[in-house]
Amino acid sequence: MSEFVPGPLQTQSVLEDPLLLIGAVGLLLVVITVWQMVEIVDAYDRAALTVFGEYRKLLEPGLNIVPPFVSRIYTFDMRTQTLDVPQQEAITRDNSPVTADAVVYIRVMNAKRAFLEVDDYQRAVSNLAQTTLRAVIGDMELDDTLSRREMINERIRTELDEPTDEWGIRVESVEVREVTPSAGVKGAMEEQTSAERRRRAMILEAQGERRSAVEKAEGDKQSNIIRAQGEKQSQILESQGDAISTVLRARSAESMGERAVIDKGMETLAEIGQGESTTFVMPQELTSLVGRYGKHLSGSDVKKNGSELDSLEFDDETRELIGLDDIADIIGEIDEQAEMDVEAMEQQAQAIKEGQDVGMDPDEPITMSETDDEPEPELGSDSE
């Protein structure tokens, strides 16, 4: 069988049939009408519906049925939107030219007001942000525009709040991205910064030298105090030694004088004994010396076996007079004071070496524990 292919005659017959033509046109109209009646709105959008140019309502997200052929839809994005503010030239309050640009973050809060109250809200907000940016920078000095970005952002956002609120738009944030002064101003600022750094370096160097001099002076002062303390204790010990030596020499001289008197008296007794007389008169002083000499010979330093002699110890009165009992205490205090002072100075030296502040006031005197001045013993001979 051969295939049937409609020819030009058959197509022409269909076009000439009015029923077939009306049916085709009607089907086409139905499809177009359905297409015009159905409106799909995304979840993050709102759509303003107008019929014959009259505002009717906002279309919610999803499938919406609208009058065909006479309806118009205006879609608004309800998400946060970013608007770039073009670079603006401005002159600060101290007549310094600068250029600045910013970013504005906005959100449509009321789609009806954004549709009815303003034409193209994005362009309106951008233009308003440009003029506000120039006005805010012109009301500030150059140093503030470079260092107080947060204040600029807050002022611009505050200035934009009132007019945009009437449009149903909320300005969520404003961020100034860059504020650039002119080339001449930048050069002057670099020179100023260099001069300021040099000044700080000179101040730090001077402070370091001053601190070094103060620490050295304090160290010398402490060294002199310790040296003077040592010399003082040495003089005390030397005085104690001289006192002991003087007392010993006095005792020795007294003993030798008494021995000479006794020897002379014994010689006199021997001469008297050779005489014819049997009655002798002896002075009381001589009998006293003989008794004391005999005591020294018989009972003072000769042991019972008679084979060893020991030196007599000083009595309590003599020990107190020459200060023998205080020597050990003085030497102990000297050793303890020297050990404490050396340890404290080593700690301060370590702190200075590590760069720490020892907290020492140069005008404050150094408090050191000095050995209490011992009353110097009075030198004198035994009155016995």
Side-chain angles (χ1 to χ4, degrees):
M1 296 180 61
S2 61
E3 295 181 358
F4 173 76
V5 178
L9 294 177
Q10 294 177 348
T11 303
Q12 185 177 2
S13 63
V14 171
L15 293 176
E16 291 177 354
D17 188 354
L19 294 178
L20 292 177
L21 182 60
I22 293 173
V25 172
L27 179 61
L28 180 61
L29 288 176
V30 170
V31 172
I32 295 175
T33 301
V34 173
W35 179 261
Q36 289 289 323
M37 291 178 61
V38 176
E39 185 68 30
I40 298 176
V41 180
D42 293 329
Y44 49 82
D45 289 338
R46 297 293 184 274
L49 172 65
T50 62
V51 178
F52 293 109
E54 180 184 2
Y55 173 79
R56 292 295 180 86
K57 64 177 180 178
L58 288 177
L59 301 181
E60 296 297 328
L63 182 64
N64 296 271
I65 303 299
V66 299
F69 306 112
V70 293
S71 301
R72 297 185 65 180
I73 304 299
Y74 300 89
T75 304
F76 293 88
D77 193 338
M78 305 300 291
R79 296 173 296 181
T80 299
Q81 304 173 48
T82 303
L83 299 180
D84 287 333
V85 179
Q87 193 174 58
Q88 303 295 311
E89 294 183 359
I91 298 178
T92 61
R93 188 169 59 184
D94 52 353
N95 298 323
S96 296
V98 297
T99 57
D101 60 348
V103 179
V104 181
Y105 298 91
I106 64 174
R107 172 176 286 185
V108 178
M109 305 302 296
N110 191 330
K112 178 180 178 180
R113 297 176 66 179
F115 173 68
L116 298 176
E117 300 294 336
V118 62
D119 178 22
D120 193 356
Y121 67 90
Q122 291 184 344
R123 182 168 56 88
V125 173
S126 177
N127 292 334
L128 183 60
Q130 294 176 32
T131 57
T132 305
L133 176 61
R134 289 196 299 267
V136 170
I137 291 179
D139 195 35
M140 300 175 63
E141 295 185 356
L142 177 63
D143 293 340
D144 293 336
T145 60
L146 297 177
S147 60
R148 305 181 67 179
R149 300 286 184 87
E150 294 182 357
M151 187 185 72
I152 298 176
N153 298 337
E154 184 62 25
R155 288 189 59 183
I156 294 176
R157 191 187 67 80
T158 303
E159 293 292 335
L160 294 178
D161 270 342
E162 184 176 354
T164 56
D165 185 63
E166 297 179 358
W167 302 338
I169 308 299
R170 185 179 70 184
V171 178
E172 294 185 339
S173 177
V174 177
E175 297 293 337
V176 176
R177 288 186 297 192
E178 186 177 5
V179 178
T180 306
S182 62
V185 175
K186 290 177 65 175
M189 293 175 62
E190 291 177 358
E191 293 179 0
Q192 180 182 2
T193 303
S194 300
E196 180 66 19
R197 292 186 180 277
R198 288 195 299 269
R199 183 183 70 84
R200 291 181 181 179
M202 295 176 63
I203 291 175
L204 291 177
E205 183 178 0
Q207 290 178 350
E209 293 177 355
R210 176 181 176 275
R211 180 173 179 180
S212 176
V214 169
E215 297 295 341
K216 182 178 179 182
E218 291 295 336
D220 295 340
K221 182 178 180 181
Q222 292 182 3
S223 177
N224 292 334
I225 290 176
I226 294 176
R227 187 182 300 109
Q229 186 73 15
E231 293 177 357
K232 177 181 178 181
Q233 301 300 335
S234 176
Q235 292 176 1
I236 292 175
L237 292 178
E238 185 177 356
S239 299
Q240 294 287 345
D242 293 341
I244 294 174
S245 177
T246 301
V247 172
L248 291 178
R249 286 196 299 269
R251 286 294 183 88
S252 177
E254 181 183 1
S255 177
M256 291 179 64
E258 292 179 354
R259 180 66 178 272
V261 171
I262 293 175
D263 289 343
K264 188 66 176 177
M266 296 301 293
E267 292 177 359
T268 303
L269 291 176
E271 293 177 357
I272 293 174
Q274 292 176 2
E276 297 178 357
S277 176
T278 59
T279 303
F280 306 99
V281 179
M282 299 181 64
Q284 183 179 0
E285 291 79 1
L286 181 60
T287 58
S288 176
L289 290 175
V290 170
R292 290 172 61 185
Y293 182 72
K295 179 180 178 181
H296 279 281
L297 289 179
S298 61
S300 62
D301 58 350
V302 179
K303 292 188 176 181
K304 294 181 180 180
N305 54 11
S307 61
E308 184 178 359
L309 293 176
D310 293 331
S311 60
L312 288 173
E313 295 182 353
F314 292 106
D315 54 13
D316 295 340
E317 182 180 359
T318 304
R319 294 180 67 87
E320 181 180 359
L321 178 64
I322 62 179
L324 285 178
D325 296 331
D326 298 333
I327 294 178
D329 297 336
I330 294 174
I331 294 176
E333 292 178 0
I334 295 173
D335 294 339
E336 181 180 359
Q337 180 65 30
E339 181 179 356
M340 292 174 60
D341 294 340
V342 169
E343 182 179 358
M345 291 187 65
E346 289 179 352
Q347 293 178 355
Q348 294 182 359
Q350 182 65 23
I352 295 172
K353 183 177 180 183
E354 295 177 355
Q356 299 178 359
D357 189 1
V358 296
M360 184 178 297
D361 187 2
D363 297 332
E364 181 181 357
I366 299 177
T367 303
M368 300 184 62
S369 58
E370 298 184 358
T371 306
D372 295 336
D373 294 339
E374 297 289 343
E376 296 185 358
E378 297 179 359
L379 302 181
S381 59
D382 191 1
S383 59
E384 292 182 359

